[in-house]
Every structure is written in structure tokens, then in C-alpha cells.
Amino acid sequence: MAILGVDVGGTFTDAVLLDGDGLRTAKVPTARRQEESVLAAAAAVGAVDVERFTHGTTIATNALLERRGARTALVATEGFEHVLHLRRQDRAHLYRLCAAHPEPLVPLSRSVGVRGRMGPDGELAPLDLSTLPDLGDVEAVAVCLLFSFRWPEHEQAVVEELRRRHPSAHVVASHESAPEFREYERASTTAADAYLGPLLGRYLRALATACAGAGLPVPLIMRSSGGVAPVEEAAAHAARALLSGPAAGVVGAARAAAAAGIGNAIAFDMGGTSTDVCAIVGGEATRSSERLVGGLPIRLPTLDVHTVGAGGGSIVWRDAGGALRVGPRSAGARPGPACYGRGGELPTVTDANLLLGRLPRTLASGLELDVAAAERALAAVGADPADVVEVVNAEMLAALRVVSVERGLDPRDFALLAFGGAGALHACALADELEIGTVLVPEAAGVLSALGLAVGDERRDEVRSLVVSLEDAVELPAEGEADVRYAGQSFELTVPLGGDLAETFHRAHQERYGWASRGRPLELVAVRTATVRRGPDVPMGADGHSRPTATGLVELEGATAWIPEGWRGEWRGGSLVVTRA
């Protein structure tokens, strides 16, 4: 059985093919039309007779960040039309009193109300569809009515009427998209789901057509939760694919850590445009029920990935005070870093690493690097290559602390699992700062996200909002997670189901906040479960016990590792295990 995984990144598109001949990989520059990159990568890896094809895409993420989504309307309960604009009353930046919040995806002119109201215990006022205004020429509609997560009948009727009036529009209901309490977060998630749906749907349909023409099966799409789903499901709820690419990397990292016999690891994925980090605890990636994307809350099951705009292609510049800065702007695939010789003149992290002797003259993709061009680019901003690396390391160090120290995890209890084209160049320096003793670099580090796609599970997440006393909760699932809080608290912790749920929560609260109140009543806010169909089991690389000890510059498949003095690498379980000498 041939298995294909293709991950589209900001600079390169990676492909992994697993068949009877073992594992083959390829990298091609990312084109403006992503489906062209997918087919080019599949061809480069020699994909034929493919039985399972999985794909990760940044289409939805980029569209949200760049505000290139559909013309969207919001239908809310009458009197609550301003929900997206009232938002939460916290400030975007604590000490900047006048800093503006990101603009909502739906303007007030297209935010309308419909008469009728549900309460916690059912209908308070009957639904009157005659009060639903004409929405004009819209491409998408988000419907978010009060208490629809518990009583969806009004919302279902509104959606049916909207689909009758606007048959070509993409209509999304909040009880299907994000069936959870907290009105603003639910409305924000539903608005993003509707806003991104037409764009992602067009891309996925174009991709499916292109794949059929190239003799490839229709791909499964990676979701933010770390599982893959059919194209139709991904297109129906685009917001669930916002972290498609980063999630695939974490899936691959978890498999690589398990193959090396490591249970606790911090996945560190440094690509060309950004760096994604996520903690893996006991062999499982940590998860979150909500995150901010482009400053907007998205309340959907997701891997707890934290992203910063620091990658190999991040541009080096000086601010108004003359301080050296790196990112978040990237040179992308074209023209790319100056050393790529494709017309780029702006200095990047890759140029700095080349001048420090941490990169070969020819990359795995066959690209010849231009040392003189890198020297000119860095000289133009008066930047020393070592200073550039120090600045970008500081950005990535802050991200690593977010998913470890700020989550109550001691990084000294973890290995740092470095991948992506540039991750292994910086991993040992970051491990030194965090007092981490082991760095793990998979043999397929440069294409680990594509490998994660190939081995990804099929996963469907479900959430049931309850908001009841824990004592009154009955028939809880044996597996899954629960959102629990002390009575009177505004926010909850997500803890695993099974065993003594109350004691599990107390311990989690103690670990996160330093205190627990075991005599205080608890509230069960939501129950989260998932149906998982395990992905294929494949080798994560060659055994490699006979390979010599690695130091200095180590070339990998699609990536490069730098092992500085004081560290030593040995091959184990398909990965380079780097420890202090």
C-alpha cells in the first residue's frame, strides 16, 4: 500500500511517500496556487498507485490573517446583533490603553437579529422568521442564537430559511460549528467558520479535481485537532483546519518520540516562515479547547500549538531605535533568502546560518547557496550573523516557555524534539537555555510534518456543554476530557476523564496555579470525546546503530543539524539523539 503525505509550507512544499521500497521524500518551492505545489511535490516523490493520500494546508490560516475570506453576514438573537463588536472587555494589550482590538470578520452593517429567544431551560419567546431581514448579496452566513448549544431548534429553523433564501451562500450554524457556552467565543468561531468556508471549499474542490486528473485519490485533510477528515467534512467547517500544517508536525513528532522511547518531549518545528511548538506529555500531544488566531478567539478542539513568526526565511531588520530585529516578515519561497540566488536582497536567518558555517553549500533540494550574496545582505543592515541567531533564538525561547513553564511543566523533564528545515540548527542552544539535557532530531526532520500527515489518525471530536454541579453529573464517558472549575470561577481546566475526576482536577489546579481547595464545590462545564481510527504504523527511519557519533554539521533528509561543542549525537530508533558530552 502506497501512502502519500503532502504538507504545504510558506517556503517549501514537502512530500513523503511510503511504499514497499521504504520512505521517499521530496521538497519543492511553494507556488502561489497551492494545488500546483501539491501535484509538483507528489510527482517529485514518484507517487503512483497511491491508496491513502493526506494533506495539510495553510489556506484557511493565511486567509484569516490576511482578511481574504468571504463576504459574511451574522444572524443573532434580536438585541444581540453587536456580540462580535462588544467582545470581551479586556484590553488587547494590558499597558496600551488605546490599542485597538482586531476588527470583527462581520461588520455591523451585516450583523442582524431575528425575534425569538431560548433560555437555559427552553423557549422563552417563539421564533418569528418574518423578522429575519434580507441579507442582500452575501457569500456566507453565520447563525449564532442564544443557548443554541443546548436548544438548537430555533437555529435549525433559521438555517433552513437562510438556505432557502440564499441557496448559493455557505450557511454555518453555531450548534454544529462550536456547540459550547460563552456567546462571544461561539459567535466568533462560527463567524470564522462561515468566513473561511467558501475559500477553503473552492481550494479543496480544485485540489480534488487536479488529483483526479493526476491519478491520485482525493486527499484526507489534516485538522487542528491532529486528525484527518474527508474533503467534504473539512470544507463544511473550515475553521477546524486553521492549524492544519502545524498539527501534522506535532503528530509526526509524537510518533518520532515514541520510536525513540521518549515519553515527554517539546516539539520544535522551525520552518521557513514560522516556528511552531507544542508539548508532548506521556506520549500524547497537549490539547486546547480555544486559541486566538489573528487576535480572534476560535473555540474548537486543537493541539496546543504556539506559533511565532521566526523561521529560516525571517527577514533581519533594524527598528527606529536601531535595535536588531528578526521577523515576522518572511522572504518566502520566491525570492527567498539572499543566499538562494533568486533575486532576494533582504537578509534572513538562513543567510546568517550559512555564514556561520552551519549549512552546506548545497541544500537537500539541490539548491546551490550563494555565500557572497548572504554577506552583502547582512552587511546592508550592519548585522553580525551570530547576533542574528541570538535574536531569533530569543523569540523561539519565549515560545518554548509558553508551552512548558507557563503550562506548569518543567522543561528539564522533557527532551527537545527539533524538526523542520531549520529546527535542528538552533535546538542545542535553546536546550542550553532551558536546561534540557536531550535533543532529539528525527532522520526525516525536514519533512516530519508530511510524515505526520501520512501516519495521521482519522479523528472526530465532539463536545457536550453541561454547566452543572459535578455532583449532579451522571453517565460520564470512561474516556475523553472534561472542563471543570470551582463554583464561582470564570474559567475552567481541561482534565482527563476516568477515575476520581474531582481529585484529578484538584491536582491539575495545584500544578497550574499553586493551590487547590478540596472542600469547594465543583462545576462540570463540558465533556469532550473523540472517535479515533488509528493511522497506519510505519517506520520512522533507519535503525542506524552502526552510524558514527555525530558532531558539527550533520546533513539530514531535507534538513541540517548543528551540534556545537559540548554536545554529541548518536543514532537511535531512527533519530539523532543529542546529549551533552
Side-chain angles (χ1 to χ4, degrees), residues 80-135:
F80 290 80
E81 299 89 344
H82 295 69
V83 59
L84 293 178
H85 295 261
L86 290 174
R87 60 179 64 86
R88 297 293 174 188
Q89 295 306 299
D90 52 348
R91 292 197 291 269
H93 299 279
L94 183 60
Y95 297 109
R96 293 171 60 190
L97 303 184
C98 298
H101 287 274
E103 279 296 311
L105 299 175
V106 183
L108 275 177
S109 60
R110 293 199 298 272
S111 299
V112 303
V114 62
R115 191 170 302 160
R117 184 161 177 173
M118 289 289 191
D121 300 317
E123 187 176 77
L124 299 177
L127 178 67
D128 184 358
L129 288 175
S130 67
T131 64
L132 181 63
D134 179 29
L135 300 179

Coordinates of all heavy atoms in Angstrom, one line a residue, residues 80-135:
F80 N -29.0 41.1 20.2 CA -27.6 40.7 20.5 C -26.8 40.8 19.2 O -25.8 40.1 19.0 CB -27.6 39.2 21.0 CG -28.1 39.1 22.4 CD1 -29.5 39.1 22.6 CD2 -27.2 39.0 23.5 CE1 -29.9 39.0 23.9 CE2 -27.7 38.9 24.7 CZ -29.1 38.9 25.0
E81 N -27.2 41.7 18.3 CA -26.5 41.8 17.0 C -25.1 42.3 17.1 O -24.3 42.1 16.2 CB -27.3 42.8 16.1 CG -28.7 42.3 15.8 CD -29.8 42.8 16.8 OE1 -29.3 43.2 17.9 OE2 -31.0 42.8 16.5
H82 N -24.8 43.0 18.3 CA -23.4 43.6 18.4 C -22.4 42.7 19.1 O -21.4 43.1 19.5 CB -23.6 44.9 19.3 CG -24.3 46.0 18.6 ND1 -25.7 45.9 18.4 CD2 -23.9 47.2 18.1 CE1 -26.1 47.0 17.8 NE2 -25.1 47.8 17.6
V83 N -22.8 41.4 19.2 CA -21.9 40.5 20.0 C -20.5 40.4 19.6 O -19.6 40.4 20.4 CB -22.6 39.0 20.0 CG1 -22.7 38.5 18.6 CG2 -21.8 38.1 20.9
L84 N -20.2 40.4 18.2 CA -18.9 40.4 17.8 C -18.1 41.7 18.0 O -16.9 41.7 18.2 CB -18.8 40.1 16.3 CG -19.3 38.7 15.8 CD1 -19.2 38.6 14.3 CD2 -18.5 37.6 16.4
H85 N -18.8 42.8 18.1 CA -18.2 44.1 18.3 C -18.0 44.4 19.8 O -17.1 45.2 20.2 CB -19.0 45.2 17.6 CG -18.9 45.0 16.1 ND1 -18.1 45.7 15.3 CD2 -19.6 44.1 15.3 CE1 -18.3 45.3 14.0 NE2 -19.2 44.4 14.0
L86 N -18.9 43.9 20.7 CA -18.8 44.2 22.1 C -17.7 43.3 22.7 O -17.0 43.7 23.6 CB -20.1 43.9 22.8 CG -21.3 44.8 22.6 CD1 -22.5 44.3 23.2 CD2 -20.9 46.2 23.1
R87 N -17.5 42.1 22.1 CA -16.4 41.2 22.5 C -16.3 41.1 24.0 O -17.2 41.4 24.8 CB -15.1 41.5 21.9 CG -14.5 42.9 22.2 CD -13.2 43.1 21.5 NE -13.3 43.2 20.1 CZ -13.6 44.2 19.4 NH1 -13.8 45.4 20.0 NH2 -13.7 44.2 18.1
R88 N -15.1 40.7 24.5 CA -14.8 40.8 25.9 C -14.2 42.2 26.2 O -13.7 42.8 25.4 CB -13.7 39.7 26.3 CG -14.2 38.3 26.1 CD -15.3 37.9 27.1 NE -15.9 36.6 26.8 CZ -17.0 36.2 27.5 NH1 -17.6 36.9 28.3 NH2 -17.5 35.0 27.2
Q89 N -14.3 42.6 27.5 CA -13.9 43.9 27.8 C -12.5 44.1 28.3 O -12.1 45.1 28.8 CB -14.9 44.5 28.8 CG -16.3 44.7 28.3 CD -16.4 45.5 27.0 OE1 -16.0 46.6 27.0 NE2 -16.9 44.8 26.0
D90 N -11.7 43.0 28.1 CA -10.3 43.1 28.4 C -9.6 43.9 27.3 O -10.1 43.9 26.2 CB -9.6 41.7 28.6 CG -9.9 40.8 27.5 OD1 -10.8 41.1 26.6 OD2 -9.3 39.7 27.4
R91 N -8.4 44.4 27.6 CA -7.7 45.2 26.6 C -6.8 44.3 25.8 O -6.3 43.3 26.2 CB -6.8 46.3 27.3 CG -7.6 47.4 27.9 CD -6.8 48.6 28.2 NE -5.8 48.3 29.2 CZ -6.0 48.6 30.5 NH1 -7.2 49.1 30.9 NH2 -5.1 48.3 31.4
A92 N -6.6 44.7 24.5 CA -5.7 43.9 23.6 C -4.3 43.8 24.2 O -3.6 42.8 24.1 CB -5.7 44.5 22.2
H93 N -3.8 44.9 24.8 CA -2.5 45.0 25.4 C -2.7 45.7 26.8 O -3.3 46.8 26.8 CB -1.5 45.8 24.6 CG -1.3 45.2 23.2 ND1 -0.4 44.1 23.0 CD2 -1.8 45.4 22.0 CE1 -0.4 43.7 21.8 NE2 -1.3 44.5 21.1
L94 N -2.2 45.0 27.8 CA -2.5 45.5 29.2 C -2.1 46.9 29.4 O -2.9 47.7 30.0 CB -1.8 44.6 30.2 CG -2.1 44.8 31.7 CD1 -3.6 44.7 31.9 CD2 -1.3 43.9 32.5
Y95 N -1.0 47.4 29.0 CA -0.5 48.7 29.3 C -0.6 49.7 28.1 O 0.0 50.7 28.2 CB 1.0 48.6 29.8 CG 1.1 47.8 31.0 CD1 1.7 46.5 31.0 CD2 0.6 48.2 32.2 CE1 1.8 45.8 32.2 CE2 0.7 47.5 33.4 CZ 1.3 46.2 33.4 OH 1.4 45.5 34.5
R96 N -1.3 49.3 27.1 CA -1.6 50.2 26.0 C -3.1 50.5 26.0 O -3.9 49.8 25.4 CB -1.1 49.6 24.7 CG 0.4 49.5 24.6 CD 0.8 48.7 23.4 NE 0.4 49.3 22.2 CZ 0.5 48.7 21.0 NH1 1.0 47.5 20.9 NH2 0.1 49.4 19.9
L97 N -3.5 51.6 26.6 CA -4.9 51.8 26.8 C -5.7 52.1 25.6 O -6.9 51.8 25.5 CB -5.1 53.1 27.8 CG -4.4 52.9 29.1 CD1 -4.7 54.2 30.0 CD2 -4.8 51.7 29.9
C98 N -5.0 52.6 24.5 CA -5.7 52.9 23.3 C -5.5 51.9 22.2 O -5.9 52.1 21.0 CB -5.3 54.3 22.8 SG -5.7 55.6 24.0
A99 N -4.8 50.8 22.5 CA -4.6 49.8 21.4 C -5.9 49.2 21.0 O -6.8 48.8 21.8 CB -3.7 48.7 22.0
A100 N -6.1 49.1 19.7 CA -7.4 48.6 19.1 C -7.4 47.1 19.0 O -6.4 46.5 18.8 CB -7.5 49.2 17.7
H101 N -8.6 46.6 19.2 CA -8.8 45.2 19.0 C -8.9 44.9 17.5 O -9.2 45.8 16.7 CB -10.1 44.7 19.7 CG -10.1 44.7 21.2 ND1 -9.7 43.6 21.8 CD2 -10.4 45.6 22.1 CE1 -9.8 43.8 23.1 NE2 -10.2 45.0 23.3
P102 N -8.6 43.7 17.1 CA -8.8 43.3 15.7 C -10.3 43.5 15.3 O -11.2 43.3 16.1 CB -8.4 41.9 15.6 CG -7.6 41.6 16.8 CD -8.1 42.5 17.9
E103 N -10.5 44.0 14.1 CA -11.8 44.2 13.6 C -12.5 42.9 13.4 O -11.9 41.9 13.0 CB -11.8 45.0 12.3 CG -11.6 46.5 12.4 CD -12.8 47.1 13.1 OE1 -14.0 46.8 12.8 OE2 -12.5 47.9 14.0
P104 N -13.8 42.8 13.8 CA -14.5 41.5 13.6 C -14.6 41.2 12.1 O -14.5 42.1 11.3 CB -15.9 41.8 14.2 CG -15.7 43.0 15.1 CD -14.6 43.8 14.6
L105 N -14.8 39.9 11.8 CA -14.9 39.5 10.4 C -16.2 39.9 9.8 O -16.3 40.0 8.5 CB -14.8 37.9 10.4 CG -13.5 37.3 10.9 CD1 -13.6 35.8 10.9 CD2 -12.3 37.8 10.1
V106 N -17.2 40.3 10.6 CA -18.5 40.7 10.0 C -18.8 42.1 10.5 O -18.8 42.4 11.7 CB -19.7 39.8 10.5 CG1 -21.0 40.2 9.9 CG2 -19.4 38.3 10.2
P107 N -19.0 43.1 9.6 CA -19.3 44.5 10.0 C -20.7 44.6 10.6 O -21.5 43.7 10.4 CB -19.1 45.3 8.8 CG -19.4 44.3 7.7 CD -18.9 43.0 8.2
L108 N -20.9 45.7 11.4 CA -22.2 45.9 12.0 C -23.3 46.0 10.9 O -24.5 45.6 11.1 CB -22.2 47.2 12.8 CG -21.7 47.1 14.2 CD1 -21.7 48.5 14.9 CD2 -22.6 46.1 15.0
S109 N -23.0 46.5 9.7 CA -24.0 46.6 8.7 C -24.5 45.3 8.2 O -25.6 45.2 7.6 CB -23.4 47.4 7.5 OG -22.3 46.7 6.9
R110 N -23.8 44.2 8.5 CA -24.3 42.9 8.1 C -24.5 42.0 9.3 O -24.6 40.7 9.2 CB -23.3 42.2 7.1 CG -23.2 42.9 5.8 CD -22.6 42.0 4.7 NE -21.2 41.6 5.0 CZ -20.1 42.2 4.7 NH1 -20.2 43.4 4.0 NH2 -18.9 41.8 5.0
S111 N -24.7 42.6 10.5 CA -25.0 41.8 11.7 C -26.4 42.1 12.0 O -26.8 43.3 12.4 CB -24.1 42.3 12.9 OG -22.7 42.0 12.6
V112 N -27.3 41.1 11.9 CA -28.7 41.3 12.1 C -29.3 40.4 13.2 O -28.7 39.5 13.6 CB -29.5 41.1 10.7 CG1 -28.9 42.0 9.7 CG2 -29.4 39.6 10.3
G113 N -30.5 40.7 13.6 CA -31.2 39.9 14.6 C -32.5 39.3 14.1 O -33.1 39.8 13.2
V114 N -32.9 38.2 14.8 CA -34.2 37.6 14.5 C -34.9 37.5 15.8 O -34.3 37.1 16.8 CB -34.0 36.3 13.8 CG1 -33.3 35.3 14.6 CG2 -35.3 35.7 13.3
R115 N -36.2 37.7 15.8 CA -37.0 37.7 17.0 C -37.3 36.2 17.4 O -37.6 35.3 16.6 CB -38.4 38.4 16.8 CG -39.1 38.7 18.1 CD -40.3 39.6 17.8 NE -39.8 40.9 17.3 CZ -40.5 41.8 16.6 NH1 -41.8 41.5 16.3 NH2 -39.9 42.9 16.2
G116 N -37.3 36.0 18.7 CA -37.4 34.7 19.3 C -36.2 34.4 20.2 O -35.1 34.9 20.0
R117 N -36.5 33.7 21.3 CA -35.4 33.5 22.3 C -35.5 32.2 23.1 O -36.6 31.8 23.5 CB -35.4 34.7 23.3 CG -34.3 34.7 24.3 CD -34.1 36.1 24.8 NE -33.1 36.1 25.8 CZ -32.6 37.2 26.4 NH1 -33.1 38.4 26.1 NH2 -31.7 37.2 27.3
M118 N -34.4 31.6 23.2 CA -34.2 30.4 24.1 C -33.5 30.8 25.4 O -32.7 31.7 25.4 CB -33.4 29.3 23.4 CG -34.1 28.6 22.2 SD -35.4 27.6 22.8 CE -35.8 26.7 21.3
G119 N -33.9 30.2 26.5 CA -33.2 30.4 27.7 C -32.5 29.1 28.2 O -32.6 28.0 27.4
P120 N -32.0 29.0 29.4 CA -31.3 27.8 29.8 C -32.2 26.6 29.9 O -31.8 25.5 29.7 CB -30.8 28.2 31.2 CG -30.8 29.7 31.2 CD -31.9 30.1 30.3
D121 N -33.5 26.8 30.1 CA -34.5 25.7 30.3 C -35.4 25.5 29.1 O -36.4 24.8 29.2 CB -35.3 25.9 31.5 CG -34.4 26.0 32.8 OD1 -33.4 25.2 32.8 OD2 -34.6 26.8 33.6
G122 N -35.2 26.2 28.0 CA -36.0 26.1 26.8 C -36.5 27.4 26.2 O -35.9 28.5 26.5
E123 N -37.6 27.3 25.5 CA -38.1 28.5 24.7 C -38.7 29.5 25.7 O -39.5 29.2 26.5 CB -39.1 28.1 23.7 CG -39.5 29.2 22.8 CD -40.5 28.8 21.7 OE1 -41.7 28.5 22.0 OE2 -40.0 28.6 20.5
L124 N -38.2 30.8 25.5 CA -38.8 31.9 26.3 C -39.8 32.8 25.4 O -40.7 33.3 25.8 CB -37.7 32.8 26.8 CG -36.7 32.2 27.8 CD1 -35.6 33.2 28.2 CD2 -37.5 31.7 29.0
A125 N -39.4 32.8 24.1 CA -40.3 33.6 23.1 C -40.2 32.8 21.8 O -39.1 32.4 21.4 CB -39.8 35.0 22.9
P126 N -41.3 32.6 21.1 CA -41.3 31.9 19.9 C -40.6 32.5 18.8 O -40.5 33.8 18.7 CB -42.8 31.7 19.5 CG -43.5 32.9 20.2 CD -42.7 33.1 21.5
L127 N -40.0 31.7 17.9 CA -39.2 32.3 16.8 C -40.2 32.8 15.7 O -41.2 32.2 15.4 CB -38.4 31.1 16.1 CG -37.6 31.5 14.9 CD1 -36.4 32.4 15.3 CD2 -37.0 30.2 14.3
D128 N -39.8 34.0 15.2 CA -40.6 34.7 14.2 C -39.7 34.9 13.0 O -39.0 35.9 12.9 CB -41.2 36.0 14.7 CG -42.1 36.8 13.7 OD1 -42.2 36.2 12.6 OD2 -42.6 37.8 14.1
L129 N -39.8 34.0 12.0 CA -38.9 34.1 10.8 C -39.2 35.3 10.0 O -38.4 35.7 9.2 CB -39.0 32.9 10.0 CG -38.4 31.6 10.6 CD1 -38.7 30.4 9.8 CD2 -36.9 31.8 10.8
S130 N -40.4 35.9 10.1 CA -40.7 37.1 9.3 C -39.9 38.3 9.7 O -39.8 39.3 9.0 CB -42.2 37.5 9.5 OG -42.5 37.9 10.8
T131 N -39.3 38.3 10.9 CA -38.4 39.4 11.3 C -36.9 39.2 10.9 O -36.1 40.0 11.1 CB -38.4 39.5 12.9 OG1 -37.8 38.2 13.4 CG2 -39.8 39.6 13.4
L132 N -36.7 38.1 10.1 CA -35.3 37.9 9.6 C -35.1 38.8 8.4 O -35.8 38.7 7.4 CB -35.2 36.4 9.2 CG -33.8 36.0 8.6 CD1 -32.7 36.2 9.7 CD2 -33.8 34.6 8.2
P133 N -34.2 39.8 8.5 CA -34.0 40.8 7.4 C -33.4 40.2 6.2 O -32.9 39.1 6.2 CB -33.1 41.8 8.0 CG -33.0 41.6 9.5 CD -33.3 40.1 9.6
D134 N -33.6 40.9 5.1 CA -32.9 40.5 3.8 C -31.4 40.8 3.9 O -31.0 41.9 4.3 CB -33.5 41.3 2.6 CG -32.8 41.0 1.3 OD1 -32.4 39.8 1.2 OD2 -32.8 41.8 0.4
L135 N -30.6 39.8 3.6 CA -29.1 39.9 3.8 C -28.4 40.4 2.6 O -27.2 40.6 2.6 CB -28.5 38.6 4.3 CG -29.1 38.0 5.6 CD1 -28.4 36.7 5.9 CD2 -28.9 39.0 6.7

